[in-house]
Amino acid sequence: MTKEEFLKNQPLISSFYLNAVKKNHLPHALLIYGDNLAPIDEIAEFLAKSLFCDENLACSNCEHCKLFDENRIGDFYIIDGRNQNIKKDQIEELSNQFVLTNKEENKCAAYIIYEVSNMTEESANALLKFLEEPPANVYAILTTTSKESILPTIISRVVSLRAFPQKYNYEEGSIDPKALFLIQGLRLREDPLEIAADKTFNTVFEMAIDFLNLLVFNYEKGIDLLFSKISANLKDQTCYNYFYGIVYQVFICISTNNTDSPFKEIILGLKSHKEAIYNATIFLEKILSAKKLNYNFTLVLGKLATILEAKWQRLNI
C-alpha cells in the first residue's frame, strides 16, 4: 500500500492517525477491523511502517522505510493468527521482547497481531494484561475480520478503526462485476482474474446466484435449493468455501443496506427478511473465521436454512 492509496481509500483511518501524530497523542493500541473486502492487513503494515518512517506517513524512501521493507527493523514483531490460534506463550514472548528492547528513552517499537480474534482464552487474558500496562513508546496494531469475537475488555483498551473495502480496477468486460465483487470478498490471495477463470468458482457462483435470486422471488424454493441442487453438487472443501464466502458477501450488503453493490435487486428484494439475513450473516462470519472450514456441510446448510426461515434449531457442527 502506498501513501497515496492510504490517503485516498482510507480517509477515516488516515485522518485519525495524522491528527494523533500531530498532537503527539497516538494511542498505544489500534484495532483495524472490517469485512473481507477491506485490506486490513495492508493497512496494519502501512501504519507500522509509518511509525518508524522519518515522515508522518510511510514514504518508502527513507532509511527506516527501506529497513522495514527488508524486514530489518529490530523493534518490530508480528504474531500471525490468520491461519492458526494464537497461544499464550506467543504473547508472553512478545511481552518479554519489549521489556528487553525498550530500555532506551524515546525509542519506538511496535507489533502487529493479525486476526486477534483467533486467540485462546489464556492468550487473550495475557494480551489484556499487556495492553493494560504497555511499555513506553510501544505501539500495538491489531487486526480482525470478526470484531464481535474479541473480548470486550480488549476492545475497551484499544482505539477501533473500521477499514473501507478495497477497490480494484480492471479493464471493462474483463470480469463480471458481480463476480469481481464476490471474489474480492473471499479470503484468498490469488488474482481475481485467475479465480474467475476457475471452473469450480464459476459453478459455485451460478448456484449461489440462483439461490439468492430464489430467496427474492420464491423464498421457500430458495431454502429448498440448499438441500437439493447445492448439497448435491458441491463436493469438496473448495466449493464449500466459495459458497460460504459468496453468500456471506451478499448478506453483508443486505444487512448494511449497501445498494451501491452489484446486487441492488437482491438487496431490495430481501429487505423484508433483514433480521433473518443478519442472523445468517453472523453465523457465516463464525464459519469463515474458523481455523479450518471442515464442518459437515449438510449440517451447516441445515442451520443456515433454519436461520433464514427465522427459526433456530441447534445442530452439532
Side-chain angles (χ1 to χ4, degrees):
M1 177 175 287
T2 65
K3 184 195 311 187
E4 292 72 22
E5 290 172 337
F6 178 66
L7 291 170
K8 179 181 179 182
N9 298 328
Q10 305 300 328
L12 292 181
I13 298 178
S14 60
S15 176
F16 174 86
Y17 181 82
L18 288 172
N19 284 334
V21 170
K22 182 179 180 180
K23 296 177 181 179
N24 196 28
H25 195 62
L26 188 66
H28 71 89
L30 298 174
L31 173 67
I32 309 302
Y33 73 97
D35 61 32
N36 296 330
L37 288 173
I40 57 176
D41 296 347
E42 291 84 352
I43 294 169
E45 183 176 332
F46 180 84
L47 289 174
K49 186 175 177 179
S50 297
L51 289 170
F52 296 99
C53 181
D54 293 341
E55 300 182 11
N56 287 338
L57 289 177
C59 66
S60 295
N61 295 318
C62 70
E63 186 64 27
H64 287 105
C65 280
K66 291 176 181 178
L67 289 173
F68 188 95
D69 290 338
E70 295 168 1
N71 297 318
R72 294 199 291 132
I73 290 287
D75 299 329
F76 174 60
Y77 303 89
I78 291 175
I79 295 179
D80 195 343
R82 288 172 291 190
N83 297 310
Q84 59 184 0
N85 284 335
I86 299 168
K87 297 180 175 59
K88 179 182 178 181
D89 58 2
Q90 291 177 278
I91 302 299
E92 290 178 340
E93 182 180 353
L94 179 73
S95 176
N96 291 334
Q97 289 288 350
F98 287 118
V99 169
L100 296 172
T101 302
N102 207 45
K103 297 288 187 182
E104 186 178 330
E105 188 177 357
N106 296 324
K107 185 170 184 164
C108 176
Y111 62 95
I112 294 177
I113 301 181
Y114 291 117
E115 202 51 72
V116 72
S117 60
N118 285 341
M119 305 187 85
T120 64
E121 182 178 352
E122 292 80 9
S123 61
N125 287 329
L127 176 62
L128 178 60
K129 184 178 180 180
F130 191 39
L131 291 173
E132 286 175 338
E133 301 174 359
N137 305 311
V138 172
Y139 299 97
I141 302 174
L142 317 178
T143 76
T144 188
T145 53
S146 183
K147 185 182 177 184
E148 67 277 4
S149 300
I150 301 174
L151 285 177
T153 45
I154 290 179
I155 296 294
S156 69
R157 285 163 176 77
V158 303
V159 173
S160 299
L161 299 172
R162 186 177 184 89
F164 286 157
Q166 182 85 28
K167 295 182 179 180
Y168 297 90
N169 295 315
Y170 289 91
E171 292 182 10
E172 188 174 353
S174 63
I175 184 170
D176 183 332
K178 291 183 179 180
L180 176 60
F181 176 83
L182 296 170
I183 289 169
Q184 290 169 354
L186 298 174
R187 301 185 181 199
L188 303 168
R189 296 195 178 274
E190 292 89 340
D191 187 283
L193 292 174
E194 292 182 11
I195 300 175
D198 182 355
K199 291 182 179 179
T200 299
F201 173 80
N202 282 289
T203 298
V204 180
F205 174 72
E206 291 176 7
M207 277 191 233
I209 298 305
D210 285 346
F211 166 64
L212 291 163
N213 282 321
L214 281 171
L215 284 183
V216 175
F217 300 109
N218 192 331
Y219 197 79
E220 291 184 2
K221 191 174 180 180
I223 299 296
D224 291 340
L225 185 67
L226 281 170
F227 291 102
S228 54
K229 183 178 178 182
I230 292 175
S231 57
N233 286 279
L234 300 190
K235 300 295 185 182
D236 59 46
Q237 201 65 52
T238 298
C239 290
Y240 306 160
N241 296 356
Y242 280 156
F243 181 79
Y244 296 144
I246 289 170
V247 175
Y248 171 82
Q249 289 307 315
V250 179
F251 282 3
I252 281 287
C253 292
I254 299 167
S255 298
T256 58
N257 197 32
N258 177 17
T259 53
D260 290 332
S261 86
F263 296 92
K264 184 176 181 178
E265 297 81 4
I266 292 174
I267 293 166
L268 295 175
L270 286 173
K271 264 190 172 182
S272 59
H273 301 285
K274 193 170 182 180
E275 183 177 352
I277 293 294
Y278 175 78
N279 291 331
T281 305
I282 297 301
F283 170 65
L284 286 176
E285 170 62 30
K286 291 178 180 178
I287 298 297
L288 289 164
S289 296
K291 179 181 177 182
K292 292 182 179 178
L293 297 182
N294 57 358
Y295 296 110
N296 182 299
F297 186 60
T298 301
L299 291 178
V300 171
L301 287 182
K303 189 162 187 177
L304 181 59
T306 60
I307 294 172
L308 292 173
E309 291 174 331
K311 300 174 183 176
W312 192 271
Q313 297 176 4
R314 292 187 178 275
L315 297 172
N316 296 318
I317 58 173

